[in-house]
Amino acid sequence: FEKGMTGDVFKKEMTKQIRDRGGKVFGKVLTVPLNSDAYFISDTYYRTKNYITAIARGIPCISHNWVIECMHRGEITPYDDHKLPAGMVDGVIYPLPDVKDKLFEGRSIMLNIWTRIRSDSWLPILHPLGACVVSDRLLRNWTPARIAAYLPQFDIVLTDSSYSPEIMNTLERAGKIVVSSKWMFESIITGSWLDFSHHRFRYDSDNG
């Protein structure tokens, strides 16, 4: 269930009904066993890590109305008509994309784990998308020679403005993609690589 869905009373009753019928209910996507037959139930789409993680792991995001329909009919019915969108980007609502094991396949992403962009919250999103995640400890106590040695190990840096300007300039001159979390979210929602050079995706943007 998505955290904001329709109210606590409704969620508690629906949870009870599902469990009474032999189903299991998880509060967070991260507690769902990998590759299990699961559904993410919500009243609408949300730009939350829980919702985005479901998309990344290939878990169908379904309207709670589907659960009600299944209860009324006494069987699991097709959910295609109850699929929720992935989200909205630039005023366009996107359908659920097929991104598991695909979107960042073959890409190495460095996380700036010392800031609010925590590795423990991003790893469950990035790994199912096929990404290899590299710790930014490689850049601590850096020197030009040291950073040059590490550059081949990653393609993308997911960060904010906490890195020094010297490090940022070095990364960008080397052709690395240095972006905020907003780029990651919206690329997942649209199911494609967005133009990372757009100003709203800059690591020092207030929109990150």
Side-chain angles (χ1 to χ4, degrees), residues 72-134:
H72 286 167
R73 297 191 181 183
E75 60 180 357
I76 302 296
T77 63
Y79 58 75
D80 288 347
D81 292 339
H82 295 286
K83 281 185 178 180
L84 293 171
M88 179 185 292
V89 175
D90 290 336
V92 178
I93 296 179
Y94 287 83
L96 291 174
D98 181 14
V99 292
K100 184 181 178 185
D101 300 322
K102 299 177 182 178
L103 186 60
F104 298 117
E105 182 180 9
R107 295 288 183 169
S108 296
I109 299 177
M110 176 174 283
L111 293 172
N112 186 356
I113 63 173
W114 295 95
T115 69
R116 58 187 174 85
I117 305 175
R118 301 289 301 176
S119 63
D120 54 1
S121 63
W122 280 106
L123 291 177
I125 297 176
L126 294 171
H127 281 160
L129 296 172
C132 173
V133 180
V134 179

Side-chain angles (χ1 to χ4, degrees), residues 59-206:
I59 299 175
C61 298
I62 312 296
S63 168
H64 64 282
N65 291 320
W66 173 71
V67 178
I68 296 173
E69 177 182 289
C70 292
M71 291 178 180
H72 286 167
R73 297 191 181 183
E75 60 180 357
I76 302 296
T77 63
Y79 58 75
D80 288 347
D81 292 339
H82 295 286
K83 281 185 178 180
L84 293 171
M88 179 185 292
V89 175
D90 290 336
V92 178
I93 296 179
Y94 287 83
L96 291 174
D98 181 14
V99 292
K100 184 181 178 185
D101 300 322
K102 299 177 182 178
L103 186 60
F104 298 117
E105 182 180 9
R107 295 288 183 169
S108 296
I109 299 177
M110 176 174 283
L111 293 172
N112 186 356
I113 63 173
W114 295 95
T115 69
R116 58 187 174 85
I117 305 175
R118 301 289 301 176
S119 63
D120 54 1
S121 63
W122 280 106
L123 291 177
I125 297 176
L126 294 171
H127 281 160
L129 296 172
C132 173
V133 180
V134 179
S135 170
D136 80 330
R137 288 190 177 89
L138 299 173
L139 298 185
R140 302 296 160 180
N141 302 316
W142 74 287
T143 64
R146 179 181 173 85
I147 198 172
Y150 290 137
L151 286 175
Q153 297 189 28
F154 58 92
D155 309 302
I156 304 168
V157 180
L158 179 63
T159 185
D160 56 19
S161 58
S162 64
Y163 276 141
S164 70
E166 291 81 6
I167 291 181
M168 293 299 192
N169 291 336
T170 300
L171 293 173
E172 291 185 323
R173 284 198 303 270
K176 301 304 178 181
I177 301 172
V178 184
V179 288
S180 70
S181 58
K182 190 180 186 70
W183 177 82
M184 190 71 63
F185 267 98
E186 295 192 358
S187 291
I188 294 171
I189 290 170
T190 61
S192 62
W193 276 52
L194 296 181
D195 181 5
F196 55 83
S197 65
H198 195 285
H199 66 85
R200 77 173 186 270
F201 298 139
R202 281 189 58 84
Y203 55 85
D204 54 359
S205 170
D206 291 337

Side-chain angles (χ1 to χ4, degrees), residues 1 24-34 36 38 50 53 57 59 124:
F1 284 135
K24 294 182 179 180
V25 178
F26 300 87
K28 293 184 178 181
V29 175
L30 295 182
T31 60
V32 179
L34 287 173
S36 61
N50 207 31
T53 302
R57 291 179 63 171
I59 299 175

